[in-house]
Amino acid sequence: MSGRNRDGTGVLDRVMLILEALDRAARPQTLTELCTATGISKATTYRLLTGLVDVGLLARTTDSRYALGIRLWEIAQNAGRQLRDAARPFLQDMFSLVGETTHLAVREGDEVLYIERIYGTRRVPRASRVGGRLPLHATAVGKAILAFEEDWVREAYLDRERLERPTPHTVVNREALRAELVEARQRGYAITREEVRVGSCSIAVPVSQGSHVVGAIGVVVNPEQAETMVRFVPALQATSRRIQKATAHFPWETLFQTGLPSLHR
């Protein structure tokens, strides 16, 4: 498993490229599509796919396409389980209070990773899912994390070569974004208005341990409710404190990447 390819990538690197390509895809992929998405040769891709199917990490459809397998899902459920189990009761209590989609996220490198989410019944476009990732600057939870991060982390993020723009509303001007993060830190919460998905607005507060921000919790609403979503701040802050207390001894560093790799995309 430690062998290197001619391009310098190892077996695990190539497996991750395949898994990530399938995770991004909206449907099962053919061998050719995966070769195109990963840049791996057809022979190598086929060999890796066959092995992944054999151990259940991938599934092969009747029309010879490939999809993520149920065994991979089973294994993934263990990642972050301690955090999810600790935070879920408090998120459920908040959801019962506000009646809107509620979620918990952490920073994984230069993205926000959704750890838990409780969905509301209102028709708000879904921007992500549990286990999904989004750019930090386009989400309220991401902005809440960035606003309360150490200065060097925030500046490293803002110095990236490109800030993704998922919608026309996404703030990508660095000075405007820097000013918005300063304001979010001062008032204690961050907001987004259709920045990651048109029709979806959000408000979030950080979750900290000591002086270090370890995540954020947020509420998602439709644009008609955006002007009044600040009313959720007291409930968010109270829930954040409860999660902070429940996870005071949680080994965050063992699960989540706190550095900022691959900044210059």
Side-chain angles (χ1 to χ4, degrees):
M1 292 294 287
S2 60
R4 310 298 293 183
N5 202 18
R6 290 182 180 179
D7 60 4
T9 59
V11 173
L12 289 177
D13 298 313
R14 300 196 293 276
V15 167
M16 283 304 302
L17 287 173
I18 291 171
L19 295 179
E20 288 170 354
L22 287 169
D23 185 49
R24 291 191 302 267
R27 56 177 176 76
Q29 299 288 285
T30 65
L31 172 61
T32 300
E33 288 171 331
L34 287 171
C35 290
T36 300
T38 63
I40 305 172
S41 71
K42 183 169 288 190
T44 299
T45 301
Y46 180 77
R47 176 172 55 82
L48 292 172
L49 289 172
T50 300
L52 291 169
V53 170
D54 287 344
V55 297
L57 297 183
L58 295 185
R60 186 175 182 179
T61 64
T62 55
D63 58 350
S64 297
R65 294 176 180 269
Y66 296 88
L68 298 177
I70 194 67
R71 179 59 181 152
L72 186 63
W73 177 85
E74 290 174 342
I75 294 172
Q77 295 310 295
N78 288 316
R81 175 178 290 177
Q82 184 179 352
L83 173 58
R84 294 200 312 274
D85 289 349
R88 186 179 295 116
F90 307 123
L91 291 177
Q92 289 174 332
D93 285 348
M94 190 172 72
F95 173 77
S96 297
L97 182 64
V98 303
E100 305 290 348
T101 295
T102 303
H103 51 226
L104 167 68
V106 299
R107 177 170 68 80
E108 175 76 349
D110 54 4
E111 296 175 306
V112 63
L113 172 65
Y114 289 88
I115 298 300
E116 184 62 285
R117 173 170 283 191
I118 301 174
Y119 294 98
T121 57
R122 297 181 189 272
R123 301 187 68 179
V124 178
R126 185 176 300 182
S128 189
R129 66 189 191 286
V130 173
R133 299 166 180 260
L134 288 171
L136 284 163
H137 67 279
T139 65
V141 284
K143 288 183 180 182
I145 292 171
L146 275 179
F148 288 85
E149 266 288 8
E150 296 181 66
D151 291 344
W152 75 267
V153 175
R154 186 166 50 255
E155 290 305 312
Y157 187 87
L158 292 173
D159 284 344
R160 297 169 73 203
E161 290 182 357
R162 184 176 68 89
L163 294 176
E164 297 90 334
R165 196 176 191 188
T167 81
H169 305 288
T170 311
V171 179
V172 294
N173 178 280
R174 286 167 174 76
E175 289 307 312
L177 185 54
R178 183 177 285 108
E180 185 177 341
L181 295 175
V182 169
E183 183 180 2
R185 189 181 185 103
Q186 291 173 343
R187 67 191 179 192
Y189 63 88
I191 61 174
T192 56
R193 298 174 185 268
E194 303 184 277
E195 293 187 45
V196 73
R197 183 69 61 87
V198 173
S200 177
C201 303
S202 188
I203 186 165
V205 304
V207 176
S208 302
Q209 290 297 342
S211 61
H212 183 59
V213 61
V214 293
I217 55 174
V219 172
V220 182
V221 300
N222 58 46
E224 290 73 25
Q225 298 172 282
E227 294 300 324
T228 61
M229 62 183 174
V230 70
R231 72 187 188 276
F232 298 133
V233 170
L236 283 165
Q237 291 176 333
T239 303
S240 175
R241 290 191 294 269
R242 296 176 73 190
I243 293 175
Q244 287 166 193
K245 184 177 180 180
T247 61
H249 303 293
F250 185 79
W252 298 85
E253 69 280 0
T254 65
L255 285 180
F256 308 115
Q257 192 173 23
T258 56
L260 284 172
S262 305
L263 286 173
H264 302 293
R265 292 183 175 180

